[in-house]
Amino acid sequence: MSELIDISLLLDANSVVQQIQTHSETLSAALREGLSKWVGLPLDELPQVERSNGTWHLGKHRFQEQQISLPRGGICLLLRLETRKEYLAEAALDLMTDSIQLYGPDGSIQFFNRATKHLLDIPQEDQVEGQHLLDLFLVDEAFSTTLTALRTKMPVRNRFDCYKSTSGKDLATVNASYPVIGEDGSLLGAVTLERDISMLRRQLPELQYIQRVLTSHLSNALLGEKNTRYTLDDLVGSSPQMREAVDTARRMALKNVNVLIQGETGTGKELFAQGIHALSSQRNGKFVAVNCAAFPESLIEGMLFGTVKGAFTGSVDKPGLIEAANHGTLFLDELNSMSLSMQAKLLRVLEEGTLQRVGSTKDICVDIRVLSACNQEVFALVEAGTLRRDLFYRLSSAMIEIPPLRERMEDLEELVWYYVRERSSNFTCPIEQIQPDFWESLRQYSWPGNVRELFHILECSISTAKQGILRRDDFPLYFLRHTFPPTPAPPTAADCTNPELLFKKGLDGMVRIYEQQILSQAYEACGKNATRTAELLKISRQSFQYYRKKYGLS
């Protein structure tokens, strides 16, 4: 907005106009002539003038007023002609049902729309511009959404605030604040949006009506309906193993083949599946994810294939998840949890391209691409008979192996900073520094829960961090206990030669003994060289270092 002064009026101590000057060539001749008649008139008797809250209405023009007190008791009024664009912008903001607040870089109030004044019980005619945010809100300066955005120059989104206004009104709102940065990088101010439950209740019926109108007139293609959140670009990691997995996923996404994804729990198998769907020719169809371990055997057939009325007590005509995925992508997570009988029925659908709902003899044609995932080694599942060999062949035209976090520890720092940046707006003080002891603890852990466990640990740590710094003390206690577990006693000769003693230790104890034996022998055979030992055992050097510390191999 321009700061040019168009008109200045000099008033005496009795508010009588003594002198008028115009400073803009854009003022019309008629307006200038009318101004010349004001000299000698009291301010409240000026013809065709309406004054309210620092705004002058002069005919069809609006002016913003600024007052300057003079040493001898007079007043100088500076008037700036408000442009049509400014007038329309203010009118548009007043029409919004959300509370919209504009602030200067120092937290001074520049504008409150009508919804904001209603929210705070401020009379519409009251002028709040120029006051500081803390003059109206009884809120901790360190926790204020707006002041946090101004201080960090970063957006703060969807933060819950519970506070009082200076008028005593209790407020519970969800806020977002966005800093405004100039072309030269300077901070110009912030735009803050605030919503309470009453606003949402008023908006929901209108939004639902609009949705019904659009849905009734537009096709799904035009509506652009998507039920996936992630693409392959959202996957974090620069390690060779991760790059290879993502590159394979990109290549396979463009081909209409079934893909089997193998990875431990928490590695991000569904993220890969959603990314493949989003890049594929089926991206305009639905992405239907099915966790095969989540349904009991008695229900999964009806859930997958659908039912017809009368098939069993209480059954209704209902399409299944496979039908729902028609012309799209079906993602079968934890495929190895599906029973062999269900695997056989699924195989028939994939081979024939048709299915029958439970209780029906009618064939329904389906065209789906199947992405599946296993959280165990696939070939071992096939050999053990847990996964049908013929179904494996049908579903694994291509395979993607997602490396566990412990085998790509070089991605650890990138993952941590990614999560810190993504979650910083949800916390009072964004994380700006991570201490070395925090990194050391992360690197010494084996991460059995992989990236999902890492993000859980980070969320706990960020919530307790002080002054924007992550330290080892911020870890939850259970994580610290597992980071430095007691070193198991080395196996004795009796342990290794006496089966009865071995069996008394249980399966876990036996596995630890054999694991330590193998690692120790390999380490000795490689001259106690960690890199050569890792290559011999076909594991990463970081994984071997973890085992070396775990078993105290010197």
Side-chain angles (χ1 to χ4, degrees), residues 260-272 331 333-334 336 373-378 381 400-408 446-453 515 539 543 546-547:
L260 193 150
I261 304 168
Q262 176 180 300
E264 295 179 6
T265 298
T267 52
K269 295 185 290 296
E270 185 166 349
L271 269 68
F272 269 85
F331 174 54
D333 196 11
E334 297 194 45
N336 46 296
C374 292
N375 55 14
Q376 299 178 35
E377 209 280 323
V378 179
L381 293 171
I400 297 173
E401 293 191 42
I402 307 176
L405 180 56
R406 64 180 175 274
E407 292 183 9
R408 57 179 186 111
S446 61
W447 300 109
N450 292 290
V451 179
R452 183 185 291 125
E453 183 182 12
E515 190 174 59
I539 60 176
S543 295
Y546 158 74
Y547 288 122

Side-chain angles (χ1 to χ4, degrees), residues 53 67 89 150 155-156 214 217 223 253 257 287 312 327 497:
N53 296 328
Q67 294 188 9
L150 290 171
V156 179
L214 289 173
H217 287 83
L223 286 170
V257 296
F287 176 88
F312 51 85
H327 306 301
T497 57

Side-chain angles (χ1 to χ4, degrees), residues 220-233:
N220 287 339
L222 289 175
L223 286 170
E225 290 185 351
K226 293 177 65 177
N227 57 339
T228 56
R229 294 177 54 194
Y230 303 101
T231 69
L232 294 175
D233 292 331

Side-chain angles (χ1 to χ4, degrees), residues 154-269:
M154 295 286 290
V156 179
R157 300 182 180 91
N158 299 330
R159 176 182 285 179
F160 175 75
D161 278 354
C162 189
Y163 59 95
K164 282 182 179 287
S165 68
T166 52
S167 64
K169 183 176 181 180
D170 290 312
L171 296 165
T173 60
V174 172
N175 306 328
S177 188
Y178 302 87
V180 180
I181 309 298
E183 293 182 359
D184 60 352
S186 61
L187 179 65
L188 301 181
V191 179
T192 298
L193 283 74
E194 193 163 9
R195 299 178 180 93
D196 70 352
I197 191 66
S198 63
M199 292 178 180
L200 293 178
R201 285 172 177 164
R202 287 194 298 269
Q203 292 171 0
L204 279 175
E206 183 177 3
L207 291 174
Q208 290 168 351
Y209 172 75
I210 293 172
Q211 183 183 26
R212 287 196 299 270
V213 171
L214 289 173
T215 304
S216 65
H217 287 83
L218 299 178
S219 65
N220 287 339
L222 289 175
L223 286 170
E225 290 185 351
K226 293 177 65 177
N227 57 339
T228 56
R229 294 177 54 194
Y230 303 101
T231 69
L232 294 175
D233 292 331
D234 294 316
L235 293 164
V236 180
S238 304
S239 62
Q241 305 98 308
M242 194 63 179
R243 285 203 305 269
E244 181 182 354
V246 174
D247 289 344
T248 302
R250 288 188 190 281
R251 292 195 307 272
M252 294 303 106
L254 303 175
K255 301 176 181 179
N256 190 22
V257 296
N258 296 330
V259 179
L260 193 150
I261 304 168
Q262 176 180 300
E264 295 179 6
T265 298
T267 52
K269 295 185 290 296

